[in-house]
Amino acid sequence: MRFHSFLIKYGEIGIKGKNRYLFEDALVRQIRFSLKDVDGDSYVHKAQGRVYVECTGEYDYEETVEALKRVFGIVGICPVVRVEDRGFEQLSKDVVSYMEGMYPEGNLTFKVEARRSKKQYPMTSMEINSELGGVILDAFPGMKVDVHNPKIRLNVEVREEIYLYSETISGPGGMPVGTNGRAMLLLSGGIDSPVAGYMIAKRGVQLHATYFHAPPYTSERAKEKVVDLAKLVSRYAGPIQLHVVNFTDIQLYIYEKCPHEELTIIMRRYMMKIAEYFAKENHCLGLITGESIGQVASQTMQSLAATNSVCTLPVYRPLIGFDKREIVEIAEKIDTFETSIQPFEDCCTIFVAKHPVTKPNLERIEKSERNLEEKIDELVKTAIESAEIITVEQSKTP
């Protein structure tokens, strides 16, 4: 059966109060953004508390559905057949035609669920349910009514037109991107940080990102890998402004002046400082990292406290209680996993100490950092001023 309309169901937006329209408008914008590279023309609009996508002419159904499944705020995508209101007799014919097209086997249980927004329609919702149920039983003797757990729920929405649908394709849920402020993601080439960005974007947060590059110790291909990851995340999160920071001189200076077992913690602290600078420049309300308690030496509770202490903005860690298997499952679902495991090193892995401290003492870390006072401010200033800014937009499904 050929569909040209989709009813978009949303979840949390529906419980918003007088500002619900702001969330609906944001959802419409995100749907338009997600569909902009899909073959065919589409029209996204609101009508009577619902959001619809109308596709005209030739279009790619599968690609359209896949694009909609990446829009946060959508909980259900219902392919709809729209028919004119030409009386109940014609509606009965349209319903039989719909059922024939969707369920040619004709031996399933069903239930009719009518909603009558057009109050001047001459039948109540209950009457429509009863009469159309009889029509379906007459047309398909093998079918049976089951009002509790039917295989088919035929929805009939009576508006200026009549909408028929029985399939609901799951959406990602969450909130439309842009409805809950901005945050700065510390994005590396690993598995975790793209997943963290995805999860925060799912709560309606617009993403910016900072990546720390260390040429010649990290290759140009390592940077391209991070840009590729940002493109994959942007399929869900919308355009991402990516700040690429040359971190080499800072890392070498820390390596020269500080105890090697403290390298990772001190480097992380300077990464957080620089990322926070860009966050404030872009009016972000927090930082995002992909850290999980105890996963590596820099992610013990003591290490996280040491890196947090340099920040004035809150640091959000959506993966904090996840194990690696759970993180990998999400990475596979959002198609970042295969890119993340490409063998291009990032700057964190190049300068790892053989025996990193796992329970850093903050006073001792701050004392070690005093060894950097001669040049570190100048190096940080240069890194910030020389940062490359790339606007990353969505990549089509591989």
Side-chain angles (χ1 to χ4, degrees):
M1 178 170 285
R2 185 73 170 162
F3 295 98
H4 286 276
S5 298
F6 299 89
L7 164 64
I8 304 301
K9 292 186 174 182
Y10 50 69
E12 293 178 65
I13 294 174
I15 63 174
K16 299 299 177 184
K18 293 180 180 179
N19 62 349
R20 186 170 104 176
Y21 74 96
L22 297 173
F23 292 85
E24 291 175 336
D25 290 346
L27 179 60
V28 168
R29 285 195 300 272
Q30 284 302 114
I31 292 172
R32 288 172 179 160
F33 172 79
S34 190
L35 292 176
K36 71 183 179 68
D37 293 326
V38 174
D39 292 338
D41 296 324
S42 58
Y43 170 56
V44 187
H45 65 102
K46 297 192 300 181
Q48 297 176 298
R50 294 295 186 93
V51 175
Y52 294 95
V53 177
E54 315 287 355
C55 299
T56 57
E58 292 297 317
Y59 80 103
D60 190 317
Y61 173 87
E62 297 295 337
E63 195 177 354
T64 298
V65 170
E66 286 303 310
L68 292 172
K69 286 165 70 174
R70 296 193 297 267
V71 178
F72 293 133
I74 294 177
V75 298
I77 305 154
C78 305
V80 168
V81 169
R82 296 165 54 187
V83 297
E84 292 183 36
D85 178 10
R86 293 185 288 176
F88 185 78
E89 185 176 343
Q90 181 59 45
L91 175 59
S92 299
K93 294 177 182 177
D94 293 331
V95 165
V96 170
S97 176
Y98 175 88
M99 297 294 281
E100 283 177 341
M102 288 292 291
Y103 309 104
E105 62 271 34
N107 59 355
L108 302 172
T109 58
F110 74 95
K111 177 184 180 182
V112 180
E113 296 184 344
R115 294 181 61 179
R116 186 183 57 130
S117 298
K118 184 180 179 181
K119 297 306 180 186
Q120 61 268 41
Y121 195 79
M123 299 171 67
T124 67
S125 297
M126 293 296 290
E127 289 169 342
I128 296 170
N129 289 342
S130 176
E131 293 298 321
L132 285 181
V135 168
I136 293 170
L137 289 172
D138 289 342
F140 305 96
M143 285 195 172
K144 294 180 180 179
V145 173
D146 183 346
V147 296
H148 299 295
N149 189 31
K151 292 289 185 183
I152 305 166
R153 291 182 184 270
L154 174 63
N155 292 271
V156 181
E157 296 202 0
V158 180
R159 300 171 178 265
E160 292 306 312
E161 292 182 297
I162 298 176
Y163 295 75
L164 307 176
Y165 63 95
S166 59
E167 181 184 13
T168 300
I169 301 163
S170 294
M175 302 287 283
V177 171
T179 56
N180 276 313
R182 301 175 182 176
M184 178 64 69
L185 171 67
L186 279 80
L187 182 62
S188 73
I191 296 170
D192 303 337
S193 58
V195 173
Y198 163 86
M199 291 183 66
I200 292 291
K202 186 175 180 179
R203 300 309 307 154
V205 177
Q206 181 184 351
L207 297 182
H208 290 246
T210 302
Y211 163 62
F212 293 93
H213 193 38
Y217 302 97
T218 57
S219 66
E220 190 66 18
R221 187 64 190 88
K223 171 183 155 185
E224 291 171 9
K225 170 184 170 181
V226 172
V227 172
D228 290 343
L229 286 170
K231 286 180 180 178
L232 291 168
V233 174
S234 77
R235 292 162 62 210
Y236 298 89
I240 297 172
Q241 193 176 82
L242 175 65
H243 300 76
V244 180
V245 178
N246 188 325
F247 203 59
T248 308
D249 291 343
I250 294 173
Q251 283 187 294
L252 291 173
Y253 190 52
I254 294 170
Y255 189 83
E256 176 189 345
K257 296 290 186 179
C258 296
H260 284 195
E261 68 271 14
E262 296 174 357
L263 287 177
T264 303
I265 293 297
I266 294 173
M267 285 191 288
R268 289 287 297 175
R269 281 164 60 87
Y270 278 95
M271 288 178 179
M272 298 293 266
K273 287 181 181 181
I274 293 170
E276 184 174 69
Y277 173 86
F278 289 123
K280 291 179 176 178
E281 284 280 296
N282 290 279
H283 308 289
C284 295
L285 300 175
L287 303 177
I288 309 163
T289 76
E291 292 161 315
S292 168
I293 292 174
Q295 187 169 208
V296 293
S298 64
Q299 295 177 24
T300 63
M301 291 288 280
Q302 294 88 343
S303 297
L304 296 177
T307 54
N308 258 31
S309 68
V310 300
C311 300
T312 58
L313 290 176
V315 181
Y316 299 106
R317 297 181 169 95
L319 310 183
I320 196 71
F322 283 36
D323 63 29
K324 200 67 177 185
R325 177 186 55 81
E326 293 168 315
I327 298 168
V328 166
E329 285 176 359
I330 299 174
E332 290 175 334
K333 182 180 79 171
I334 65 175
D335 292 324
T336 57
F337 180 73
E338 291 300 327
T339 302
S340 291
I341 62 174
Q342 290 176 4
F344 302 104
E345 300 286 355
D346 63 31
C347 64
C348 291
T349 55
I350 296 296
F351 289 89
V352 170
K354 288 184 178 179
H355 303 289
V357 61
T358 59
K359 296 180 180 179
N361 177 280
L362 183 56
E363 289 184 7
R364 191 172 301 162
I365 294 293
E366 290 174 341
K367 181 180 178 182
S368 297
E369 288 178 345
R370 286 198 282 276
N371 297 333
L372 305 170
E373 287 177 351
E374 182 182 352
K375 289 173 58 177
I376 194 65
D377 289 345
E378 178 188 340
L379 292 174
V380 167
K381 183 172 182 287
T382 299
I384 288 171
E385 291 176 348
S386 64
E388 179 185 5
I389 300 175
I390 304 170
T391 299
V392 177
E393 292 203 23
Q394 66 182 9
S395 171
K396 284 195 174 187
T397 305

